[in-house]
Amino acid sequence: MDFQLSDDQRALRSGMRDLLDAVFDRDRLRAAVDRGGALDRTLWRELGAAGFFALRLPEEAGGVGLGLPEAVLLFEEAGRALLPGPLVATHLAAGLVKGAAEGEAVVTAVDGRLPVAHLAAADAVLVGAEALTGEALRGFVAAARPVRSTDPLTPLHRAAAAGAGAGSAAADAPAMTERTLMATDRTPAYAGRPRYEAALLTAAEQLGSAARTTEAAVQHAGDREQFGSPIGSFQAVKHLCADMLARTEPARAAVYAAAVTGDPLEIAAAKLLADEAAVRNARDCLQIHGGMGFTWEADVHLHLKRAWLRSAAWLTGARAEELLAAALGAARPLPGSSAAYGPGAPEAGGGG
């Protein structure tokens, strides 16, 4: 069986990298930091025009008609570029929220009890099976309060326990469970298992970040000299770079495999590996950069802070470990089996 990317998939990935190099280079990244993570609507529309959000919609619905493996490739490039914004939620909302597929609407999502990202810029908020818009959205936003974000590119709001005026969905938002989210299978935007799809796309972003920090570390190790030699010639630095690659490639294999199977158990493993690769690689990259890596002008800290946020989103490492352990030792249906999602099935829950 051939597990290599097809020519079309490689072209898709290359095209997205070229697009992001053109519309979101380092200067625009730093400009976004200076704006406090304020969303660039022009950039959002360019992503929509390129098919980023409508990638998995059927062609008859105005989409591209591709699948989860292709979506993973695009989100990997987005993570590599540190592209800001609620990319996963808007992608999932294509076909459900008017304008989401075209990039005309910005859609964010409630993820358990976590703060909501980019709420002030959102045209809709996904809360379980519902999309809050109009008056319900305004009430939800009015009841939320801003909180300090680790990532300067991701403004956050803490949603109120009861979204005053935002309807029952907002009031119940913190209590949303996996089973509630599974009910959204009946909508085209949530084909399959939405929380796991969101976790996989987030893992793909983590993979892209892990690969980029590996490249940045290797490049700096070759350019930076101490005692008359590149620091990459020192054994300790070689080991750090090797460890970064050794984390990235198994994560890549896991993410790609989970994209093909769509199996929740494999997605949990992929998210676990990708989170570890993104966080630990950013830390090692920062160490290789030395004192320079701690400065605001360096981009390394942006990868680390974004990796921290993503690792808490949709499926945490602790929850992924619980799912994997349960699958290894339990006699009940595995999380990846169809029986696990029938009536009375145990909730997958949690996940950040």
Side-chain angles (χ1 to χ4, degrees), residues 4-352:
Q4 297 297 317
L5 296 180
S6 69
D7 290 341
D8 288 343
Q9 287 172 330
R10 284 193 290 269
L12 179 70
R13 183 175 63 182
S14 177
M16 178 53 60
R17 183 173 299 187
D18 290 343
L19 173 65
L20 293 179
D21 286 343
V23 303
F24 196 70
D25 56 13
R26 188 177 185 278
D27 289 340
R28 295 190 182 185
L29 170 65
R30 302 307 300 199
V33 173
D34 293 339
R35 294 196 307 270
L39 206 64
D40 184 344
R41 291 277 182 163
T42 300
L43 173 61
W44 211 250
R45 294 187 187 97
E46 289 176 336
L47 292 173
F52 188 92
F53 303 119
L55 186 78
R56 293 192 294 147
L57 279 182
E59 292 184 26
E60 55 270 23
V64 183
L66 296 178
L68 199 54
E70 288 76 21
V72 158
L73 295 177
L74 296 194
F75 275 83
E76 181 183 349
E77 292 303 315
R80 176 188 176 87
L82 277 175
L83 191 63
L87 301 167
V88 171
T90 304
H91 179 87
L92 292 176
L96 176 65
V97 174
K98 183 179 179 181
E102 299 80 14
E104 295 295 333
V106 175
V107 184
T108 189
V110 171
D111 178 15
R113 296 182 181 274
L114 290 179
V116 182
H118 297 277
L119 181 59
D123 300 300
V125 178
L126 299 179
V127 184
E130 295 187 49
L132 301 183
T133 58
E135 190 62 33
L137 173 63
R138 287 188 286 273
F140 186 81
V141 173
R145 59 181 177 83
V147 294
R148 184 174 181 180
S149 176
T150 300
D151 177 16
L153 288 165
T154 310
L156 299 173
H157 281 73
R158 178 75 65 183
S168 60
D172 295 339
M176 284 293 167
T177 65
E178 187 90 6
R179 187 180 297 168
T180 305
L181 288 168
M182 295 306 170
T184 59
D185 285 352
R186 64 182 178 272
T187 67
Y190 286 89
R193 294 178 278 270
R195 178 172 288 276
Y196 285 105
E197 289 186 358
L200 179 60
L201 296 177
T202 303
E205 292 182 282
Q206 294 282 62
L207 171 61
S209 179
R212 180 68 190 99
T213 51
T214 300
E215 294 170 6
V218 171
Q219 180 178 354
H220 184 75
D223 294 341
R224 176 70 171 171
E225 291 190 2
Q226 287 185 352
F227 309 111
S229 300
I231 62 173
S233 65
F234 304 149
Q235 188 176 41
V237 176
K238 288 180 181 179
H239 285 179
L240 285 175
C241 291
D243 288 344
M244 293 171 74
L245 184 64
R247 285 189 288 265
T248 301
E249 293 311 309
R252 184 188 307 281
V255 169
Y256 286 6
V260 172
T261 66
D263 183 275
L265 191 61
E266 294 193 14
I267 290 174
K271 181 66 161 55
L272 186 64
L273 288 172
D275 284 344
E276 180 184 23
V279 172
R280 294 186 62 184
N281 281 16
R283 286 175 172 172
D284 285 351
C285 182
L286 193 151
Q287 182 175 352
I288 289 172
H289 278 71
M292 172 185 165
F294 286 88
T295 64
W296 186 255
E297 290 75 15
D299 293 341
V300 182
H301 72 98
L302 297 175
H303 280 278
L304 178 57
K305 292 171 180 177
R306 184 74 64 84
W308 278 334
L309 280 185
R310 291 195 194 112
S311 64
W314 300 111
L315 191 64
T316 64
R319 186 56 189 155
E321 288 173 348
E322 289 175 2
L323 290 172
L324 293 168
L328 288 172
R332 58 185 172 79
L334 298 179
S337 68
S338 59
Y341 295 95
E347 294 179 2

